Amino acid sequence: MNIEEAVAGIEAVQDEPGLPMAWRWSPMPRFVFSLAMDHDGHWAYQMNSLDVHDDGLTRAVLAFARQHQLGRGRDARPLTVLPGFSYGAYRFDSVAAASPAVHGFHHGRNEALNEVVSAVFPAFQCEFRGDETFEEAVLRFKRMLRPTVVSRLPVPYLRMRYENRRTGGGSIGTSRGFTTHEVLLRELVLLEGAAGSFVEFENLHGEMWRVQWDGSWLVNGQAQDVGPSEEWVMTVLGCL
């Protein structure tokens, strides 16, 4: 697969300023796609931006991914994350990579190119457990993390199940499913006054919390004077 030749055939492609062996193109006004080829020419790293494109951040992410060969190879995990990244005033502490089968950036246009590209983006370490299955990776990458938005806030790794006997809301079955911390906070607030109800959730380390209301707050069976705060939630999820 000749990556440079394939990229040269993309309409209106141009060199990525300040980064060798890298290019950018804009398929539509809201998007900028940037790709850096690995030094041996056999793999590439692509970062896509929506609405807001930061040249410096993009170059830093691509350079970091290339330096560490992030997500390279057919045996790479569906999602790979490496901490130790920082740039400017951004809060990102990591760079993540989605495998070709997960991102599908070039499906329907150039399948051979798609198979040698990692989709890379600035990220937060608290967003990943490291053992995500293919299905979990697709869900996280395409529906939850918003990897093309450079102004985004952390989307913690969070699995939850709940039952609220007052509102009638609840999850199905005994397994905990992925959700956002906004949903968790909403259901924690709704627990107050709902005797016999619970919210159960886990973080990226597999640590679990069970919050209940029984005339007072209970967290893992221990009485609490006040209900869980947003700061507490983000702390136990590893994002503070």
Side-chain angles (χ1 to χ4, degrees):
M1 175 64 202
N2 189 319
I3 295 174
E4 187 170 5
E5 184 178 285
V7 173
I10 297 173
E11 183 177 357
V13 70
Q14 56 187 283
D15 289 342
E16 178 70 40
L19 192 65
M21 297 189 300
W23 304 270
R24 71 161 67 166
W25 64 99
S26 181
M28 58 189 70
R30 297 181 64 197
F31 284 95
V32 176
F33 297 170
S34 301
L35 179 145
M37 188 169 63
D38 218 336
H39 296 293
D40 63 4
H42 296 312
W43 198 264
Y45 310 91
Q46 181 173 331
M47 176 174 165
N48 295 350
S49 300
L50 173 66
D51 291 330
V52 176
H53 177 79
D54 186 318
D55 286 332
L57 176 64
T58 299
R59 286 194 295 268
V61 169
L62 292 175
F64 186 91
R66 180 160 64 187
Q67 177 187 356
H68 298 283
Q69 297 189 320
L70 201 59
R72 176 169 171 162
R74 302 186 187 280
D75 295 329
R77 296 202 59 83
L79 283 176
T80 304
V81 61
L82 184 66
F85 174 81
S86 64
Y87 179 78
Y90 291 95
R91 293 175 53 197
F92 299 116
D93 60 15
S94 306
V95 172
S99 70
V102 171
H103 65 72
F105 278 173
H106 301 280
H107 278 336
R109 291 177 292 275
N110 191 327
E111 299 295 339
L113 178 61
N114 190 82
E115 292 307 305
V116 293
V117 171
S118 295
V120 298
F121 56 100
F124 303 91
Q125 192 173 3
C126 67
E127 296 176 318
F128 307 91
R129 191 153 107 175
D131 62 353
E132 288 84 355
T133 66
F134 172 74
E135 291 77 13
E136 291 170 345
V138 171
L139 171 67
R140 297 285 287 161
F141 180 76
K142 294 192 172 181
R143 297 181 57 185
M144 298 187 73
L145 292 174
R146 300 190 301 154
T148 60
V149 180
V150 300
S151 60
R152 71 186 186 90
L153 297 174
V155 183
Y157 184 100
L158 166 62
R159 302 183 74 134
M160 178 181 103
R161 73 184 186 101
Y162 72 103
E163 179 183 349
N164 191 303
R165 296 184 179 180
R166 180 165 55 86
T167 66
S171 49
I172 298 173
T174 59
S175 298
R176 293 183 286 273
F178 282 109
T179 190
T180 65
H181 77 280
E182 290 90 352
V183 172
L184 171 58
L185 289 169
R186 182 193 70 204
E187 293 304 325
L188 288 173
V189 169
L190 291 172
L191 271 184
E192 188 167 5
S197 304
F198 71 90
V199 172
E200 183 181 280
F201 67 97
E202 67 177 277
N203 66 6
L204 72 162
H205 302 299
E207 298 166 332
M208 192 271 287
W209 287 265
R210 185 180 177 93
V211 184
Q212 298 168 271
W213 172 265
D214 188 20
S216 63
W217 292 99
L218 296 173
V219 177
N220 289 349
Q222 301 296 312
Q224 307 291 317
D225 294 331
V226 296
S229 65
E230 181 173 5
E231 181 180 2
W232 176 81
V233 166
M234 294 302 284
T235 298
V236 299
L237 292 178
C239 287
L240 280 183

